[in-house]
Amino acid sequence: MSARRILYSVASIRQARPLPFQVFQNFRTLPPSNRNYLLAAVAAHHNAIHAHNWWGATSKLTKRWFYRVPKEIVQMLWLYARKARDVYGKSITAQFFDIVRLYLRNGVAADDYYLGGLAGLNRSEQDQMVPYWIFRDANMFCLGVDKTHESIERICSKHRLAEHVLASGHRAPKMLALLKPDDTEGAKSILAPQTSFFAKPDRGSKGQHAERWVKDGDTFYLARQDLRVPKDKIIDHMQRRCREIGKPLLLQELIENNEAIQKWAGKAFATARIDTHRTPDGSVTVGRGIMRIPADQHSSVDNISSGGTGFSLNSQSGIMGPGYMDLCFGPANFTSRSPATDEVLTGQKVPGWEEACATVLELHKSVENAHAIGWDIGFSPDGPVVVEANIPNGLHIIDQVALGGFFNTHTADCMAQCIASRLAETQPTGSRLMVGAEYGENA
């Protein structure tokens, strides 16, 4: 079995979440730090979603954790320990203890340790990092278990988001059609697009099943698969595709990059991910940002998980830092150049950054129940375009390395405030999840 196949098999059996001891932790005796608030939120989220079978769920979680973690550590040591020893001069024994400590302290897995560049950091730097699942579960706790609130539904559905953005006076891709897996009759009445278009599932997907169709005469061309479909057959083809993925499929106008972005990504559409956060006092601020560049000029998507490269962004200035890819070994793989055009991007400013931030801040204020939202923003010749919104949003481990860690960021500060507020609202008096309640007495 190839190293890459082994890696993906490991990733598919990631450790049970949260770590077993975290659901029993007494956070009342711990200092009120960003880290402790984050872990308390994860435990509270676990308690909430397993309220009717807490002991059974926790027992199952513990068994799965002890089965998966040792296996994952051994596999990742076998794949990367010698390479890390040669690159960083760190013994295999030291790597093993690093991994175990990070697992128990922050829930950081062995693949994050090697593929996120943590192996080359010292312990104090490593301790600033958290895996995506902790960031996600903490956001889910801030949001609440129920995601069906009207304002949340309005932005989780891509076609409803576009309608909302356009109605708010901002730019979004126009909807050409919404196909449903079981509605073959309705598809027959939909007119074929007259221009190039983008097809993607109406909800979720992380770039999966997204396709960029370019009109070429009387055909539509999908460069990624070197596939041509006649104009009069394109709706039938997309309806079959809709049935294959089993989800509603949205067809939208194809947004073009502006002149500056074309130098970075060519014709392949590139977007910035901008995170916004609501603080307990109701104000909304910008957290982190990344500029995502597709792998090549024929790519349909720019998602890092689908081969794109992310360049960290200074949230105040919009200036790009180092770029990184998913599943890469160590800091040696950070880059300053676009994978699509070889243009040097680190140090350049994203055009229209201030307008993009102002747009997402205004839109977030209309979503009453969301603490954090990740917005995907394109940059067309006419200005920033809101493409998608993500709840919960994510924070890649390599992006945290580029930022110098997570716990000292503005995002972590905003999350801690929200978590403290939510704990006060949801937990009974004396709850062990009330971070720092007894810390002053025991100090």
Side-chain angles (χ1 to χ4, degrees), residues 192-443:
Q194 301 302 306
T195 61
S196 301
F197 68 92
F198 197 85
K200 57 187 176 183
D202 189 48
R203 301 179 70 93
S205 85
K206 293 185 178 180
Q208 295 179 341
H209 312 303
E211 297 176 344
R212 182 176 182 268
W213 288 88
V214 177
K215 190 173 185 296
D216 184 12
D218 291 331
T219 66
F220 284 95
Y221 180 56
L222 180 62
R224 188 180 64 184
Q225 298 179 12
D226 193 21
L227 174 65
R228 290 185 182 274
V229 177
K231 178 181 175 180
D232 60 348
K233 301 292 185 183
I234 189 65
I235 291 298
D236 290 338
H237 175 84
M238 299 312 301
Q239 181 62 47
R240 287 194 297 271
R241 183 69 175 141
C242 179
R243 290 197 298 270
E244 287 174 5
I245 66 176
K247 299 178 180 179
L249 191 64
L250 176 63
L251 309 187
Q252 290 181 317
E253 67 170 328
L254 188 63
I255 303 298
E256 299 290 343
N257 297 321
N258 65 27
E259 185 177 353
I261 304 296
Q262 284 193 34
K263 293 179 180 179
W264 304 349
K267 293 294 185 180
F269 192 50
T271 62
R273 168 65 62 85
I274 306 175
D275 289 349
T276 54
H277 302 270
R278 175 178 278 110
T279 57
D281 64 5
S283 62
V284 180
T285 62
V286 172
R288 65 92 194 231
I290 57 173
M291 187 68 205
R292 304 185 300 190
I293 305 297
D296 57 63
Q297 297 196 42
H298 299 297
S299 297
S300 292
V301 296
D302 58 7
N303 300 64
I304 297 170
S305 58
S306 299
T309 298
F311 289 82
S312 60
L313 284 169
N314 182 300
S315 61
Q316 300 301 315
S317 66
I319 293 176
M320 287 182 282
Y324 59 87
M325 295 176 290
D326 199 11
L327 301 180
C328 64
F329 178 83
N333 286 295
F334 278 71
T335 181
S336 63
R337 294 183 177 274
S338 162
T341 64
D342 205 38
E343 182 90 0
V344 175
L345 302 188
T346 300
Q348 294 203 48
K349 180 177 179 178
V350 174
W353 177 252
E354 289 81 4
E355 184 181 353
C357 289
T359 297
V360 297
L361 287 172
E362 181 180 335
L363 290 172
H364 191 152
K365 292 175 182 177
S366 67
V367 187
E368 302 92 348
N369 290 44
H371 151 67
I373 305 175
W375 306 89
D376 293 345
I377 307 296
F379 298 89
S380 74
D382 297 323
V385 180
V386 180
V387 180
E388 293 183 13
N390 300 269
I391 297 179
N393 49 337
L395 189 68
H396 198 287
I397 196 77
I398 307 178
D399 194 28
Q400 296 177 47
V401 174
L403 292 170
F406 170 71
F407 290 123
N408 294 322
T409 65
H410 178 63
T411 296
D413 294 338
C414 288
M415 287 190 69
Q417 294 178 50
C418 178
I419 291 166
S421 177
R422 284 282 295 164
L423 288 172
E425 292 172 2
T426 62
Q427 303 304 309
T429 302
S431 168
R432 60 183 176 79
L433 298 176
M434 299 300 292
V435 177
E438 300 173 7
Y439 181 71
E441 301 171 13
N442 296 338

Side-chain angles (χ1 to χ4, degrees), residues 111-138:
D111 57 344
D112 286 328
Y113 177 77
Y114 288 115
L115 303 175
L118 306 191
L121 305 181
N122 61 43
R123 288 193 169 187
S124 63
E125 293 171 326
Q126 291 173 354
D127 289 345
Q128 295 300 313
M129 314 298 170
V130 292
Y132 165 70
W133 66 264
I134 282 186
F135 186 78
R136 183 203 66 188
D137 286 5

